[in-house]
Amino acid sequence: SGGGLAYGYRIRDDHIGEREIVDTEATLVRRIFEDYANGLSPRKIAKALNEENIPGPGGRKWGDTTIRGQVDRGTGILNNDLYVGLLVWNRCSYVKNPRTGKRLARPNPTEQWERVEVPDLRIIDDDLWNRVKERQRFVRIEMSRDASGNALNRAHRRKHLFSGLLRCGVCGSGYTITGKDRYGCASHRSKGICTNTHSIKRQ
């Protein structure tokens, strides 16, 4: 496969380009799936893994986005089809933003995806996978509604005056919007690795 190497796998020494399961990482993948299916949030899972000093993908600290990713794009631990023995290509097309020069991912229609079954690379059984997908659907519905049950318009995320400029005085991570109207340390919120609990009102 010419794709990236997902957490839980390594390249085989005897077959160039082919993957094999890393047992210790596969055990952790199952734990993440079980914890999420049983009600833990990606943020709490990441914090627990960091407190146990378990290295994440690439040896980095765990973050909630590493675990939850984006369902539509198949990113994140919880959305990787390879864990159920399915290799998927062409999920996204990439275009360059002419204003910023950054590469942007655009999800392709599912009929354009290419799928190949690789049962020898399965880590998660169908029952656990389906439990996670069901909870993701439930969480998505709940998060898309306000306190009165009305649908929210999340098409555009507001950019605030100090977005990308504020830094935590303890760990150096970004200070980002962490609540309705407050800035806080991103590493404390998403990874649990910073002791700085101080937040600032945006105003």
Side-chain angles (χ1 to χ4, degrees):
S1 169
L5 188 63
Y7 185 81
Y9 304 96
R10 62 180 166 230
I11 299 298
R12 293 177 56 177
D13 293 329
D14 53 344
H15 290 79
I16 294 175
E18 292 190 13
R19 301 173 173 96
E20 63 182 359
I21 294 172
V22 180
D23 291 335
T24 53
E25 293 182 2
T27 299
L28 198 57
V29 169
R30 294 187 194 99
R31 169 183 165 178
I32 290 170
F33 270 75
E34 285 284 0
D35 284 349
Y36 182 81
N38 290 331
L40 284 183
S41 69
R43 194 174 299 155
K44 287 184 177 179
I45 296 170
K47 183 178 180 181
L49 296 175
N50 288 326
E51 287 176 345
E52 295 173 38
N53 292 315
I54 298 173
R60 298 181 297 274
K61 294 291 186 181
W62 290 94
D64 59 341
T65 54
T66 307
I67 294 169
R68 61 180 166 81
Q70 291 182 302
V71 176
D72 296 339
R73 298 180 186 177
T75 60
I77 297 287
L78 296 176
N79 305 309
N80 191 339
D81 294 283
L82 193 55
Y83 295 142
V84 284
L86 189 64
L87 198 54
V88 181
W89 285 278
N90 204 38
R91 279 181 177 271
C92 296
S93 297
Y94 293 90
V95 296
K96 184 176 284 190
N97 185 320
R99 187 170 60 84
T100 64
K102 291 184 177 180
R103 232 174 44 127
L104 303 174
R106 295 281 184 263
N108 290 328
T110 54
E111 58 268 19
Q112 293 181 14
W113 296 3
E114 296 182 47
R115 301 173 175 87
V116 174
E117 292 188 8
V118 281
D120 54 314
L121 296 180
R122 177 188 280 269
I123 291 176
I124 302 296
D125 62 42
D126 289 337
D127 177 66
L128 180 53
W129 176 266
N130 291 332
R131 284 168 58 204
V132 164
K133 295 299 114 180
E134 183 58 35
R135 179 157 186 250
Q136 284 179 321
R137 282 190 288 271
F138 174 78
V139 168
R140 203 169 193 175
I141 292 170
E142 289 298 303
M143 289 183 65
S144 66
R145 299 184 183 279
D146 63 17
S148 301
N150 300 314
L152 296 173
N153 179 7
R154 297 178 180 268
H156 301 287
R157 181 178 292 178
R158 294 173 63 192
K159 187 165 185 176
H160 301 287
L161 180 63
F162 293 110
S163 293
L165 298 177
L166 301 177
R167 294 288 165 191
C168 173
V170 176
C171 71
S173 296
Y175 242 55
T176 60
I177 293 292
T178 57
K180 180 181 178 181
D181 228 14
R182 300 188 75 87
Y183 285 102
C185 174
S187 286
H188 173 77
R189 181 173 187 262
S190 65
K191 301 178 182 179
I193 60 174
C194 180
T195 58
N196 187 1
T197 60
H198 186 63
S199 63
I200 308 167
K201 288 191 72 174
R202 182 178 61 83
Q203 290 85 348

